[in-house]
Amino acid sequence: MSRVISIDFETFYATKDGHGIKEQGMSGYVRDPRFDAYMVSVSDGSEHWAGHPKDLNWDALDGAVWLSHNAAFDSRVYDELVARGRVPKVRQAAWHCTANLTTFLCMRRDLARACEFLLGVKVDKTERGKADGKQWTDFSPADREAMLNYARLDAVHCWTLWAKYAHLWPDMERRLSELTIRQGRRGVQIDEKKLLQFLGVAERMRIGAEHDLPWMKEGKKPTSPKAIAEECHKVGIPCPPVKSRDGEEAYDAWAAEHGGRHAWVKAFTDYRVINKFIDILTTIKGRLDNAGVFPFDMLYFGAHTGRWSGSGGFNVQNMRKEPLYCDVEGRLVTDDRMLKEISKSLEAEKKLPGFVAHALDLRSLFIPRAGRKMIVCDLSQIEPRVLAWCVGDKSMLQLMAGGQSPYEAHARATMNWTGGNMKKEAKELYALAKARVLGLGYGCGWEKFITVAYMMAGLDITKDDPEFVQAVNAEGNPCFKPDGTPQLVSGYGHNSKRIVEEYRSSNPLVASRDPEHPGIWKQLDDAFRASAGGDFTMELPSGRTLRYPEVREEWKAVPDPENPKRYKKKRVFTALAFNQRVNNVVREAFYGGLLTENLVQAIARDVFGYHLLRLDETSGIDPLWGVHDESVNEVDQHVTKEDVRNVMRECPPWIPGLPIDAEAIETPHYLK
């Protein structure tokens, strides 16, 4: 059995000068001329050492299992030191990441929080914080000793975490952790010629947008808050919301309200979009290696359900889907009618209309290496398939196993469709079935479903709403005025309410509230509430557990629907869960529909993870990265899209009866 040794590097960083992982990404950071790994610490559980890398007996680590709390980073540091001839190349039997281990166990990635939760040890990171901007020669003798002690303890904590908890990390998860690290280090080839072309066009577009900002003539910066506030005051409109405080959606609503009447609002919005795009292009360009390969950072288990997430200042999981279109005058195309014309022209004639000079498609920059091909393959409607499997919907499962999509299967099982090819014969009904399947399986209400139906299926389900309908009381009985005439209220949402109710009544395995025969929403909701005072867990088919610690009952104030100016108390049940937005474990409210969504997404994630490993094991296929249920693969010339599709269609042995399907395309560059 191989010896297990933890290893941790301390490196120079300077936040103010932009020399850090967040600013440069891991690979860019270690390749920077300023990079200096001035300390390494190691531990085998009984002996611990810290000092300069040149002073370590590296032969003692040869053939051992290495551990790091962020192996993605420490492995890149080590490889860079080897490449610079500063340390010898030695073998590792394996290199495991205890940060990924602790994230899997308790959603605490950083060492301090992981140690406090799992070991009951408080880790003091003060010394690391004091090192910002300091070379080793800048440390006083006392500070050097304090830093050495800090580093030794980090190595000890890393080793202890592994010794106590490694047995709880399944082999499949360890392999997914290793694959995620390897994918980021391997990177993806970039079309450098196109990248430079995009940068040039985008720079000219930005200059054009700047010229349309009135305060630029006064020598002020394009994003000057004071200049923007003064311009808003001149025309009598409120200042735009602050993204960091109010979110991007709030700004979009402000721009939509005022952009039509004030040309500078549109120009400023265009500037923001173009500027963000340039930042992305610049990030890619600045991180390319000598072969034009873009390494990236990605987090294994980056969400509560186990899904991956982006990291390091560039998110391969959330690239811009639509190109930026530049018109012949060098301006950004944003008019809805022109965008629709572009879509129609591309669909009908496979070319851009004459008013478009350039299409800047970010995804087209990501290409296969020379001599290889790119095949993108995604699981077809995996979540509704998993939901049907979870509730044991035999009718849906049989129809999908026979080759029908979940949407058509749903229409046949619950919407009385008996025709042939629904997508061709009844396009609008098919779109409604799609909206129902994608939007209503997790307890979506009628108001949200209006937006969901439009976003997911292009349906405006309010277009046939009556102007007025008769009001009903809480028991569902019609309301009348004192004179006996019907009491009327706005008919907005009438059809959405009807569709939601029809879905719930025709899908009892999902939505039934009957105590004798509850659907999955009520089952999970009841079980979650019954867990108050303890933890709630859901066992997944793969063998892992979805955890919700410290369930408790709370009361919170919510707006009164009958009087928005007033609040009323509402009983909720909460638990601890990882929140991606704040990057921390926080207390959140859960209910049956949301728990169902989490369960389905977690199972779908495991199915996809199984496929990623199978692809990685297949000769000639290298999965570059995955996005939820989509695998982007670089393959040898002899590999076909059917080869990739066949792997992705395999049903994992631990979820028998799940009707899996996949779609694959061979493409010269990444696309959705």
Side-chain angles (χ1 to χ4, degrees), residues 82-349:
V82 171
R84 297 191 185 195
R86 296 181 183 176
V87 301
K89 177 72 172 176
V90 296
R91 294 179 301 110
Q92 304 99 33
W95 198 330
H96 295 299
C97 181
T98 56
N100 285 350
L101 164 65
T102 60
T103 303
F104 173 84
L105 291 174
C106 62
M107 293 308 301
R108 288 162 174 82
R109 185 175 297 275
D110 68 85
L111 187 62
R113 282 188 288 179
C115 286
E116 184 171 3
F117 186 82
L118 294 171
L119 303 179
V121 174
K122 285 190 175 292
V123 176
D124 187 355
K125 306 295 285 186
T126 303
E127 296 304 321
R128 184 59 184 158
K130 288 162 59 176
D132 191 353
K134 293 172 67 174
Q135 300 282 359
W136 185 242
T137 53
D138 298 328
F139 286 79
S140 69
D143 287 341
R144 289 186 181 186
E145 188 58 35
M147 193 67 174
L148 288 165
N149 289 333
Y150 159 81
R152 277 191 290 267
L153 280 174
D154 269 9
V156 171
H157 294 324
C158 175
W159 190 93
T160 306
L161 285 168
W162 182 262
K164 285 195 170 187
Y165 293 104
H167 67 284
L168 298 177
W169 203 17
D171 179 67
M172 173 178 162
E173 294 299 327
R174 293 190 193 189
R175 293 167 61 204
L176 287 172
S177 166
E178 184 275 331
L179 174 60
T180 304
I181 294 170
R182 180 156 40 89
Q183 286 176 320
R185 292 184 57 182
R186 186 174 187 275
V188 58
Q189 187 73 46
I190 296 296
D191 186 332
E192 293 185 84
K193 182 178 179 181
K194 185 179 287 187
L195 172 63
L196 294 176
Q197 178 195 1
F198 281 10
L199 272 168
V201 172
E203 289 283 6
R204 292 193 293 273
M205 291 171 68
R206 181 165 63 179
I207 292 171
E210 288 176 351
H211 285 166
D212 295 334
L213 300 176
W215 57 87
M216 288 294 291
K217 298 173 183 177
E218 303 169 13
K220 298 176 181 177
K221 293 182 178 179
T223 57
S224 166
K226 183 178 180 181
I228 296 167
E230 289 174 349
E231 199 65 33
C232 288
H233 181 71
K234 286 180 187 176
V235 297
I237 63 174
C239 292
V242 179
K243 178 183 175 182
S244 59
R245 184 188 65 217
D246 306 304
E248 192 66 33
E249 289 184 2
Y251 177 86
D252 291 342
W254 176 86
E257 181 179 356
H258 304 292
R261 292 182 291 115
H262 305 287
W264 70 264
V265 172
K266 179 187 179 306
F268 180 62
T269 303
D270 291 353
Y271 176 87
R272 293 171 84 248
V273 171
I274 297 165
N275 202 51
K276 181 179 179 181
F277 191 75
I278 290 174
D279 285 345
I280 293 171
L281 297 180
T282 304
T283 295
I284 295 173
K285 182 175 180 290
R287 298 185 184 182
L288 295 181
D289 67 14
N290 293 334
V293 170
F294 175 63
F296 53 84
D297 304 337
M298 191 163 60
L299 292 181
Y300 156 87
F301 228 90
H304 189 78
T305 57
R307 282 180 166 182
W308 288 259
S309 66
S311 181
F314 184 92
N315 190 353
V316 294
Q317 299 244 310
N318 190 28
M319 292 191 210
R320 183 183 175 91
K321 295 179 181 179
E322 299 298 327
L324 288 187
Y325 294 108
C326 173
D327 67 19
V328 292
E329 296 181 355
R331 297 294 197 270
L332 179 66
V333 178
T334 58
D335 183 80
D336 285 341
R337 291 170 298 177
M338 297 174 75
L339 291 172
K340 287 179 181 178
E341 187 176 341
I342 291 172
S343 296
K344 288 181 180 178
S345 181
L346 288 172
E347 186 176 347
E349 304 176 36

Side-chain angles (χ1 to χ4, degrees), residues 361-372:
D361 182 3
L362 179 65
R363 298 182 181 215
S364 70
L365 298 176
F366 297 80
I367 60 175
R369 289 167 173 82
R372 307 200 80 197

Side-chain angles (χ1 to χ4, degrees), residues 609-626:
Y610 171 86
H611 290 131
L612 280 180
L613 294 177
R614 288 287 294 115
L615 289 167
D616 190 50
E617 295 165 352
T618 304
S619 176
I621 300 177
D622 291 304
L624 296 174
W625 73 88

Side-chain angles (χ1 to χ4, degrees), residues 88 109 134 327 481 597 613 635 640 658:
R109 185 175 297 275
K134 293 172 67 174
D327 67 19
K481 296 179 180 179
E597 181 177 22
L613 294 177
V635 304
T640 68
L658 177 66

Side-chain angles (χ1 to χ4, degrees), residues 540-557:
L540 306 182
S542 65
R544 75 178 175 100
T545 302
L546 197 55
R547 298 178 178 85
Y548 299 82
E550 300 180 27
V551 179
R552 71 187 185 202
E553 179 183 353
E554 297 181 348
W555 292 87
K556 73 174 186 177

